[in-house]
Amino acid sequence: MLASTRISKAEEGIPYIHYLPEKTKGTQKDNSETITPLVRYAFDIIKRTQLNLTILKYPSGKSGYNKKIKQLLKAAGIDRKVTEFDEVEGVNKYIPICETSSSKLARSTHVDMMNKVQINMYAAGLHRRGSSAVTHYTMLELADRFKLMNLAFDQEDYRVDKNLEVI
């Protein structure tokens, strides 16, 4: 059912999405895919929509990534209020996140949440800043990233079967 959407299951039953990044696929020598484990919330959206999100088509030009991200959040019902400072009025305004989101906000939020649930190898004093050993020792396996993402997004651990049904 979800096979054409590039959703797969690891041996441990962890669902993940995999794809060739559009931005860098022409410059990669090995065409390595990006693999991201799916927290339950994301998995449920994918199951419900089958990734048939016309919102995501043609993400450049006038309807660029930032516009598409806003539309996607709105379609998913993600409308938590966030603070945005109004320069003209000099006050904070509280607006739905789906009206102010951007690719930068999405990336920084994800990175920030992931950093909060893992040890910073530099801060722990295990390696000097810039050490290649940090990169080597912090390459996390899918199962480890899945645990961290569940923790960061306050999601329960779950597994799927070969048909991508939650077990």
Side-chain angles (χ1 to χ4, degrees), residues 26-70:
T27 60
Q28 288 187 43
K29 292 180 180 158
D30 63 354
N31 289 318
S32 59
E33 291 186 315
T34 296
I35 297 173
T36 304
L38 294 166
V39 293
R40 181 66 191 265
Y41 184 71
F43 183 78
D44 289 346
I45 290 171
I46 290 168
K47 287 283 283 191
R48 187 173 63 246
T49 65
Q50 296 295 298
L51 282 182
N52 185 16
L53 303 166
T54 55
I55 291 166
L56 296 177
K57 292 186 185 331
Y58 314 114
S60 59
K62 289 182 182 177
S63 56
Y65 286 116
N66 291 337
K67 184 174 181 179
K68 297 294 184 178
I69 287 169
K70 288 175 179 78

Side-chain angles (χ1 to χ4, degrees), residues 11 16-17 39 45 60 66 74-75 81 100 102 113 130 135:
E11 278 187 36
Y16 64 92
I17 189 167
V39 293
I45 290 171
S60 59
N66 291 337
K74 188 172 185 173
K81 301 280 190 204
T100 188
S102 65
M113 290 178 80
T135 303

Side-chain angles (χ1 to χ4, degrees), residues 85-119:
F85 186 72
D86 184 323
E87 297 282 341
V88 175
E89 295 183 27
V91 296
N92 281 332
K93 295 208 171 176
Y94 301 92
I95 58 176
I97 195 167
C98 58
E99 292 178 13
T100 188
S101 293
S102 65
S103 59
K104 181 178 179 182
L105 176 66
R107 282 190 304 275
S108 64
T109 299
H110 181 79
V111 168
D112 186 49
M113 290 178 80
M114 295 302 289
N115 281 337
K116 284 183 169 72
V117 295
Q118 67 180 351
I119 296 170

Side-chain angles (χ1 to χ4, degrees), residues 99-148:
E99 292 178 13
T100 188
S101 293
S102 65
S103 59
K104 181 178 179 182
L105 176 66
R107 282 190 304 275
S108 64
T109 299
H110 181 79
V111 168
D112 186 49
M113 290 178 80
M114 295 302 289
N115 281 337
K116 284 183 169 72
V117 295
Q118 67 180 351
I119 296 170
N120 180 318
M121 298 295 278
Y122 298 124
L126 300 176
H127 300 284
R128 66 174 170 72
R129 179 79 52 197
S131 168
S132 62
V134 171
T135 303
H136 175 75
Y137 291 113
T138 57
M139 295 300 293
L140 298 174
E141 297 293 324
L142 182 71
D144 296 325
R145 287 188 288 133
F146 185 60
K147 286 178 190 174
L148 287 174

Side-chain angles (χ1 to χ4, degrees), residues 10-21:
E11 278 187 36
E12 309 92 335
I14 297 169
Y16 64 92
I17 189 167
H18 53 104
Y19 58 93
L20 284 169

